[in-house]
Amino acid sequence: MRQDTVLWAAQPEEGLHAAVFFPAAFLLLTLAGCAAQPVKPFEQPEEVEQITQEESRLWAEAERIDEALLDSGQVYPEAKLEKYLQQTINSIYPGFQYTIRVRALKSPMLNAFALPNGSIYFNIGLIARMENEAQLATVLGHEAAHFIQKHSLRQTRQVKTMSAFALGMNIAGIPLIGDVIAISSIYGYSRDLERQADALAYEHLQRAGYDVRESVKVFQHLAAEAEALDEKQPVFFSSHPKLRERIESFNELIASSGQVGGRVERGAYLAQTQGLRLACLEADLSMDRYKSLILVLE
């Protein structure tokens, strides 16, 4: 489990431990002082076992976040759903099935993020808003691409982003209580890195046999929801370039490849995610998210 994380959308609780902040800040300052070697993406799965000292420190921090999320009770406790999410990512990146791990979180917010060690977290709110497995695979594939391309390492080498990470850990505290968003939401990846993730995800969606046209639909659907809720962007996309850039990027990839058709898997998706939809509505209600609740019911 692993990459770019953690900041609560909710207000931090009292009594947050300063000890949480200082290890994260120390880690990032240490990384800043390391001799910057070129960042090479994982081209083969076995390269995961050959990470540098700089990367291993970042992975250790990610593992600590994994443990905190598990201890916090925020992980959605349904083994069937977790198995389904894992099978989906395994079909997209089969060589990394022992490294990339997917879990769902209980929050109704539209969010997903990846940690530097390959952990991907998906809020049930985002899962509930999607219509089929091809759309799920699009976002999973994009987040996993950030891990494979080592975008978090590139990002932590930027002083501004490292400061943001330390701030996020300070605000969040451990154990985590509330809704999480990727720490990259403060600044986000560059447009080039996001498009690089789009391209790698698209390539693997094709190989897995998904209908790549659904990649555009998922972003169009969420853009429409953001407009209906009078939000500038859903929380998930605060860690990414604007929705229109994602739509534009995937449209360009579709046009250049000329691919039409493929797996959508609507029935299987609805069957596998049926239970969390009610849980998501209940969470919206408990958080007084009435506009979102009305929109979903409509």
Side-chain angles (χ1 to χ4, degrees):
M1 324 244 320
R2 330 342 163 178
Q3 181 211 332
D4 2 306
T5 201
V6 189
L7 177 64
W8 294 122
Q11 291 295 319
E13 302 234 333
E14 294 181 1
L16 297 182
H17 301 295
V20 173
F21 167 71
F22 291 113
F26 176 78
L27 168 70
L28 293 166
L29 290 173
T30 301
L31 288 174
C34 293
Q37 299 177 352
V39 178
K40 296 177 61 177
F42 294 123
E43 296 181 357
Q44 301 295 332
E46 54 268 23
E47 292 176 356
V48 171
E49 304 298 327
Q50 304 167 8
I51 60 175
T52 66
Q53 185 178 28
E54 180 184 11
E55 291 174 271
S56 66
R57 289 171 179 163
L58 194 59
W59 280 44
E61 187 68 20
E63 294 289 352
R64 194 171 69 85
I65 294 168
D66 281 330
E67 293 175 4
L69 283 169
L70 288 170
D71 292 342
S72 72
Q74 290 299 307
V75 175
Y76 188 69
E78 186 178 306
K80 179 183 175 182
L81 175 66
E82 187 171 310
K83 181 180 179 181
Y84 175 64
L85 294 175
Q86 191 64 45
Q87 288 174 338
T88 302
I89 194 65
N90 290 350
S91 72
I92 307 170
Y93 298 100
F96 291 90
Q97 61 179 306
Y98 298 109
T99 305
I100 299 174
R101 176 69 182 271
V102 186
R103 286 194 174 106
L105 296 176
K106 294 178 181 178
S107 172
M109 307 296 286
L110 306 183
N111 182 34
F113 62 89
L115 296 176
N117 58 356
S119 290
I120 297 177
Y121 292 94
F122 234 91
N123 283 1
I124 62 171
L126 186 58
I127 298 173
R129 300 304 196 277
M130 293 180 179
E131 300 171 332
N132 54 59
E133 188 177 300
Q135 294 180 4
L136 171 71
T138 296
V139 181
L140 279 175
H142 180 91
E143 291 303 315
H146 282 310
F147 160 69
I148 291 171
Q149 296 288 346
K150 300 185 181 180
H151 288 169
S152 61
L153 178 59
R154 296 175 186 269
Q155 182 155 295
T156 55
R157 286 182 172 181
Q158 301 174 22
V159 175
K160 180 182 287 188
T161 304
M162 288 192 290
S163 298
F165 186 91
L167 174 63
M169 292 299 294
N170 185 38
I171 292 174
I174 301 293
L176 306 176
I177 303 172
D179 179 50
V180 296
I181 59 176
I183 188 58
S184 61
S185 66
I186 295 179
Y187 295 107
Y189 289 113
S190 70
R191 182 174 182 179
D192 286 344
L193 293 184
E194 289 292 352
R195 284 181 170 260
Q196 189 179 64
D198 289 342
L200 183 61
Y202 186 88
E203 175 186 341
H204 284 266
L205 288 170
Q206 283 185 307
R207 290 182 186 178
Y210 286 108
D211 187 341
V212 291
R213 293 173 296 182
E214 294 298 317
S215 62
V216 175
K217 292 180 182 179
V218 65
F219 296 116
Q220 291 174 330
H221 174 69
L222 292 172
E225 178 163 331
E227 183 177 353
L229 293 175
D230 195 27
E231 296 177 356
K232 292 182 179 179
Q233 295 185 70
V235 174
F236 167 67
F237 293 102
S238 64
S239 64
H240 293 66
K242 293 179 180 179
L243 285 169
R244 294 300 170 189
E245 289 187 14
R246 299 277 60 71
I247 294 170
E248 176 186 319
S249 177
F250 276 98
N251 269 329
E252 290 173 359
L253 290 165
I254 292 170
S256 63
S257 70
Q259 179 174 330
V260 176
R263 296 194 294 135
V264 173
E265 307 290 0
R266 175 177 171 82
Y269 183 78
L270 294 178
Q272 293 286 349
T273 60
Q274 183 177 14
L276 69 78
R277 295 177 188 279
L278 178 58
C280 189
L281 290 173
E282 292 174 342
D284 273 328
L285 184 61
S286 69
M287 295 172 63
D288 298 330
R289 288 168 43 85
Y290 300 121
K291 292 177 75 172
S292 178
L293 189 64
I294 292 171
L295 181 63
V296 171
L297 291 174
E298 287 179 343

